[in-house]
Amino acid sequence: MRRNLVVLLLAVPLLAQEPMDARGWLNQGVTEFKSGNYPQAVADFQKAVDSDPSNVTARLYLATAWMQQYIPGLESPDNLAIAAAAEREFLKVLDSDPRNETGLAYLASLKLNEKKWDESESWYRKLVADNPNST
């Protein structure tokens, strides 16, 4: 009996750590994102993407969670790496869905915040061209 209890107690953290499939990781990431815990949201969204690499929504959430951590104007290596991670994930969204309005808009915004004016303008032009009825 005591041995079974020890095994059960050792297994509980493992069960708590692994919520489920891509949908479960996505939901957990949304909860973390809403609470402002962006690094944990990134980790959860990454697990959702790893579970289902074709899930555009999970990848878009991952990119957005990275972007949320970016601090415009701060030129530290860590901050630049965060911007690069956000860009990389937004580009993967656009590889899967080239007209993704959110992906285009957020990538344009990221470039604007990085003061990469020409790149920002290019992404905004693509957004308008691909989504002429968007507001």
Side-chain angles (χ1 to χ4, degrees):
M1 175 73 171
R2 183 173 180 194
R3 182 177 174 179
N4 290 342
L5 180 60
V6 170
V7 170
L8 180 61
L9 290 174
L10 291 175
V12 168
L14 295 175
L15 294 174
Q17 182 182 7
E18 298 293 326
M20 43 258 120
D21 57 5
R23 171 61 64 197
W25 285 115
L26 187 62
N27 290 339
Q28 186 167 313
V30 167
T31 299
E32 295 294 344
F33 188 92
K34 286 180 178 180
S35 70
N37 189 355
Y38 304 118
Q40 186 58 52
V42 163
D44 293 340
F45 292 142
Q46 184 63 60
K47 289 176 183 172
V49 167
D50 292 344
S51 296
D52 181 4
S54 67
N55 188 326
V56 174
T57 300
R59 194 167 300 277
L60 185 59
Y61 281 32
L62 174 60
T64 304
W66 276 117
M67 184 174 156
Q68 191 64 32
Q69 296 177 82
Y70 174 69
I71 302 168
L74 181 61
E75 297 295 320
S76 73
D78 288 344
N79 197 48
L80 296 175
I82 287 169
E87 178 181 7
R88 181 177 56 248
E89 294 304 325
F90 283 127
L91 290 173
K92 288 178 183 178
V93 167
L94 296 173
D95 282 345
S96 298
D97 181 6
R99 295 181 59 171
N100 186 291
E101 191 171 348
T102 303
L104 289 166
Y106 281 15
L107 188 53
S109 177
L110 176 66
K111 292 301 168 185
L112 183 67
N113 286 327
E114 290 180 292
K115 297 183 181 178
K116 295 181 178 179
W117 314 122
D118 291 341
E119 288 182 64
S120 178
E121 180 182 11
S122 177
W123 286 113
Y124 277 121
R125 287 186 184 278
K126 181 157 180 49
L127 172 64
V128 171
D130 287 353
N131 302 282
N133 296 324
S134 68
T135 55

